[in-house]
Amino acid sequence: MMTLYYYPNTCALAPHVALEEAGADYRLALVAFERGEQKSEAYRRLHPLGRVPVLVTGAGVLTEVPAILAYIAGINPASAPSGAFELAKMYAFNAFLASTVHVTFAHALRAERWADDEAARESMRAKAPSEYVKLFFLMDEKMLVGPWVMGQQYTVSDPYLFVMSRWLRRLNLKIEEFPRVAAHYARMIQRPAVLRALELEGLTP
Ligand SMILES: N[C@@H](CCC(=O)N[C@@H](CS)C(=O)NCC(=O)O)C(=O)O
């Protein structure tokens, strides 16, 4: 049985949904951020940076959302394109979310990662929402094929976008500004696997 280490409404929700979609045999392990458990010595043995998600598999420990999603796609081939080019496009989208969209969001909440100076941190916090908006316009207008991220096929990119879309409201941004992303979100919350994962994390759609 696999174990997914998570905290609610974090990027760990993406592999959580993907595991539910796969019908995988897994259990959840809550990492109590309130108690700083992610920075404990024990947890850092799993994730040296002290972050979620971690997926413990029969073959070993995986970190980094795009890699965990690639693994889940491996055990649930229906959740990834079969053609080499389309598969690479899906990886490109996931890499974009991890390296650009997520990192932009983190500048709003975790500015201390990048600067010690309070004025510099404040400046990053202030700029992050408008950059997040630009990235969502890009996804809305140019990247999201529709109805799913990759087109007709629902893939592991969909729960990943879903999580980044949920974070809009954490920056006081309105998903309605991005009509195709909003439609994607509405489709996602029709899926039983998504609703199950949300419920298990104590979240509402
Ligand atoms: N690049 C990593 C990012 C992981 C990450 O930043 N996780 C956040 C939650 S979304 C976290 O655990 N933050 C806790 C902390 O920084 O203390 C990935 O894709 O898995």
Side-chain angles (χ1 to χ4, degrees):
M1 188 196 281
M2 292 179 276
T3 302
L4 178 70
Y5 288 81
Y6 83 107
Y7 185 79
N9 213 26
T10 62
C11 55
L13 178 58
H16 187 186
V17 170
L19 286 167
E20 281 291 328
E21 297 278 5
D25 189 17
Y26 77 99
R27 71 177 191 97
L28 285 173
L30 176 67
V31 181
F33 279 14
E34 299 83 356
R35 296 201 299 272
E37 210 171 277
Q38 76 273 31
K39 305 298 179 201
S40 69
E41 214 181 297
Y43 186 72
R44 278 182 195 267
R45 269 182 232 122
L46 284 176
H47 196 310
L49 279 178
R51 298 190 190 161
V52 295
V54 166
L55 184 68
V56 179
T57 75
V61 175
L62 281 174
T63 60
E64 299 300 320
V65 174
I68 295 173
L69 290 177
Y71 178 77
I72 298 169
I75 58 175
N76 180 24
S79 64
S82 50
F85 182 77
E86 290 72 22
L87 185 61
K89 291 288 278 186
M90 185 189 82
Y91 289 145
F93 186 79
N94 291 350
F96 168 74
L97 291 183
S99 66
T100 307
V101 182
H102 188 167
V103 172
T104 298
F105 178 81
H107 277 71
L109 266 77
R110 305 262 185 204
E112 69 279 3
R113 282 186 193 163
W114 292 280
D116 293 323
D117 175 58
E118 189 45 44
R121 289 178 178 176
E122 203 35 58
S123 167
M124 279 191 271
R125 283 185 205 113
K127 189 166 163 80
S130 60
E131 287 301 304
Y132 206 67
V133 164
K134 279 188 209 161
L135 297 172
F136 266 82
F137 275 126
L138 179 64
M139 289 191 282
D140 199 68
E141 287 163 11
K142 303 240 190 294
M143 296 173 95
L144 202 172
V145 179
W148 305 112
V149 170
M150 295 296 300
Q152 292 304 320
Q153 186 181 5
Y154 177 92
T155 70
V156 291
S157 290
D158 291 294
Y160 204 1
L161 172 62
F162 175 69
V163 172
M164 302 288 136
S165 301
R166 284 180 68 82
W167 291 354
L168 282 163
R169 64 182 99 141
R170 293 173 69 184
L171 298 181
N172 292 321
L173 299 169
K174 293 207 180 330
I175 196 167
E176 296 76 24
E177 300 283 321
F178 317 100
R180 300 174 73 237
V181 170
H184 177 264
Y185 191 91
R187 275 189 286 276
M188 286 297 289
I189 58 172
Q190 301 300 315
R191 297 182 73 89
V194 173
L195 294 174
R196 273 198 306 274
L198 289 174
E199 194 183 347
L200 286 165
E201 295 198 13
L203 302 168
T204 53

